[in-house]
Amino acid sequence: MATVLLDRVTKRFGRVRAVDGVTLEVRDGEFMVLLGPSGCGKTTALRCVAGLERMDAGRIVIGGEDVTDRQPGRRGIAMVFQSYAVFPHMTVRDNITFGLRIRKTPAEETRQRTLQAAELLQIGELLDRYPAQLSGGQRQRVAVARAIVMQPEVLLMDEPLSNLDALLRLQMRAELKRLHRETRATTVYVTHDQVEALSLGDRIAVMRSGAIVQCDTPSAIYNRPASTFVGGFIGSPPMNFFGGTVEEGGRSVRVAGTVLGLEERWAGAEGIRAGGEVLVGVRPEAFEVTTETRAGAFPAVVVVIEPLGGTTLLTVSVDGETAKVTVAPDTDHDPGQRVWLRPLPDRLRLMEPGSGRAVIPTQEGARR
Ligand SMILES: Nc1ncnc2c1ncn2[C@@H]1O[C@H](COP(=O)(O)OP(=O)(O)OP(=O)(O)O)[C@@H](O)[C@H]1O
Ligand SMILES: [Mg+2]
């Protein structure tokens, strides 16, 4: 196993800064997810780690050694690509052993390692089949087995589940998690699927336009997004943002004509001053919804009701703006109905309207 360090990495394609001064430290045995919208530079960053791109600036350090000038084959990594290509004319066994044969690994060791990898991925029965005789999920497992049979110190995966249907993705996601627990290979995993990122990552690095905008545990990213971008990108549906005005020196905020009390930690936080504008960020599940007025709740009108089985999703209108709210499935709502939304005080976040940056409450600031 090994640590992986991207040290001020920059990669340009003509005028495009695909990766723009990224520094990221992946711990030994950690599962790090690179998450961000299409074109933000995830694949390019991963290819820089693999040695498949010549960087314009920066270093790649693996296991404490600067590998910037080393060939991909000499970096102790294995990669599963975005469009996983298994060789169609080779059996599953030959696909898996391909890399070992190139390395002239002794036959008995090759056999042992192949069986081990096949067992980990539960494709032991499929070794003599050809890829055309496999399901998408099985083919996917062959691609992963082919990578882990190399016993890499570092496993790089670029959207390995993107070609699978929803159910298979769900299954493979759990399998990848189990696989990581068993191999403990330091992993860098690229995805634009935020649910995948939340479920797999020890930590998530959120990328935007070639830069990392937040790197933290899934729960910190979900509950304490560093910006409106992160809050809006993570979560399905994403975080709601309401325009508000700070009152009483930061002890309350006015939203949709209603005064909402703020927890003490917001008064005195940087960016909070009386009369100032803020965005109040609330996750869809972090409201109490009632049909009668009450303190700390602002009015909204129900527009759309979507029963989703385990929960029901309401689209509501607040002062002409749309918001999404999840409620229990057995609640009665009608389109046009007036409801009151009370954000749970401990779940509410404040953001600066111009920059979109999160306001850091005082205790959290002290914890950092
Ligand atoms: N070989 C290339 N030549 C020119 N531009 C490139 C090349 N590869 C990537 N880019 C550009 O660099 C930027 C980052 O691309 P990259 O493939 O890293 O994005 P990504 O985050 O992996 O996106 P996706 O989620 O769509 O796979 C994009 O603007 C892309 O058009
Ligand atoms: Mg990509």
Side-chain angles (χ1 to χ4, degrees):
M1 283 194 290
T3 54
V4 175
L5 172 67
L6 290 84
D7 181 19
R8 292 164 293 174
V9 170
T10 293
K11 172 67 190 175
R12 286 186 288 265
F13 294 108
R15 286 220 209 107
V16 177
R17 283 174 176 267
V19 177
D20 194 5
V22 162
T23 293
L24 177 67
E25 203 169 347
V26 187
R27 299 172 190 140
D28 191 24
E30 185 173 34
F31 199 118
M32 173 68 79
V33 176
L34 293 185
L35 173 69
S38 185
C40 72
K42 307 179 296 292
T43 294
T44 307
L46 202 67
R47 287 172 59 84
C48 288
V49 176
L52 298 168
E53 297 287 358
R54 175 166 286 281
M55 303 184 293
D56 292 293
R59 300 185 306 150
I60 301 292
V61 181
I62 296 179
E65 283 186 52
D66 188 333
V67 300
T68 310
D69 296 320
R70 248 189 242 173
Q71 292 296 316
R74 304 193 158 274
R75 294 189 176 200
I77 51 140
M79 185 154 167
V80 180
F81 291 92
Q82 191 161 4
S83 53
Y84 61 95
V86 290
F87 303 119
H89 59 287
M90 288 185 194
T91 62
V92 168
R93 185 192 313 277
D94 290 345
N95 263 288
I96 296 176
T97 56
F98 185 74
L100 294 175
R101 279 183 283 136
I102 285 187
R103 286 214 190 146
K104 303 205 169 21
T105 310
E108 180 53 25
E109 186 184 341
T110 299
R111 205 182 65 84
Q112 289 287 343
R113 279 164 68 168
T114 303
L115 286 181
Q116 223 174 19
E119 198 167 301
L120 262 180
L121 284 139
Q122 298 168 350
I123 50 173
E125 271 81 76
L126 309 176
L127 288 174
D128 295 316
R129 289 208 205 164
Y130 286 88
Q133 301 166 314
L134 303 176
S135 73
Q138 290 167 334
R139 243 173 275 164
Q140 185 60 56
R141 280 178 230 194
V142 174
V144 176
R146 196 171 56 179
I148 64 156
V149 79
M150 306 307 288
Q151 299 177 347
E153 301 210 305
V154 176
L155 185 57
L156 306 178
M157 290 196 263
D158 190 359
E159 312 235 15
L161 307 186
S162 56
N163 294 318
L164 305 180
D165 69 41
L167 188 61
L168 259 180
R169 270 164 87 136
L170 216 66
Q171 285 171 4
M172 274 301 290
R173 205 167 76 196
E175 306 243 324
L176 287 179
K177 202 154 181 168
R178 178 182 58 85
L179 185 74
H180 178 250
R181 204 175 52 228
E182 288 176 24
T183 63
R184 281 281 147 204
T186 307
T187 302
V188 186
Y189 184 99
V190 163
T191 182
H192 62 265
D193 180 332
Q194 42 98 19
V195 180
E196 222 168 273
L198 290 170
S199 91
L200 284 170
D202 292 319
R203 283 190 299 159
I204 301 172
V206 184
M207 285 186 75
R208 181 190 199 184
S209 309
I212 292 177
V213 292
Q214 187 172 10
C215 179
D216 215 325
T217 60
S219 93
I221 297 251
Y222 186 81
N223 293 310
R224 300 192 293 279
S227 63
T228 48
F229 171 78
V230 177
F233 190 72
I234 300 209
S236 169
M239 190 173 242
N240 298 295
F241 295 103
F242 305 97
T245 314
V246 176
E247 298 194 345
E248 299 179 80
R251 278 189 295 279
S252 65
V253 60
R254 185 177 286 274
V255 174
T258 306
V259 176
L260 310 181
L262 287 177
E263 291 188 330
E264 225 172 79
R265 62 204 171 113
W266 296 104
E270 205 182 314
I272 294 296
R273 57 197 157 65
E277 302 286 312
V278 284
L279 291 174
V280 178
V282 189
R283 292 279 178 201
E285 72 281 10
F287 293 99
E288 273 172 14
V289 183
T290 51
T291 49
E292 279 164 32
T293 179
R294 57 186 294 203
F298 53 81
V301 176
V302 175
V303 182
V304 180
I305 303 151
E306 294 172 83
L308 301 176
T311 57
T312 290
L313 182 62
L314 303 181
T315 303
V316 300
S317 169
V318 178
D319 245 3
E321 302 280 334
T322 299
K324 302 276 189 184
V325 177
T326 46
V327 293
D330 52 2
T331 41
D332 260 343
H333 291 289
D334 301 302
Q337 183 187 28
R338 174 162 281 254
V339 291
W340 275 263
L341 308 180
R342 178 178 171 268
L344 302 174
D346 60 331
R347 296 285 309 274
L348 163 164
R349 306 303 294 174
L350 299 178
M351 311 278 184
E352 297 172 8
S355 63
R357 265 202 313 266
V359 173
I360 309 298
T362 44
Q363 288 94 321
E364 251 167 59
R367 257 198 279 142
R368 283 177 186 207

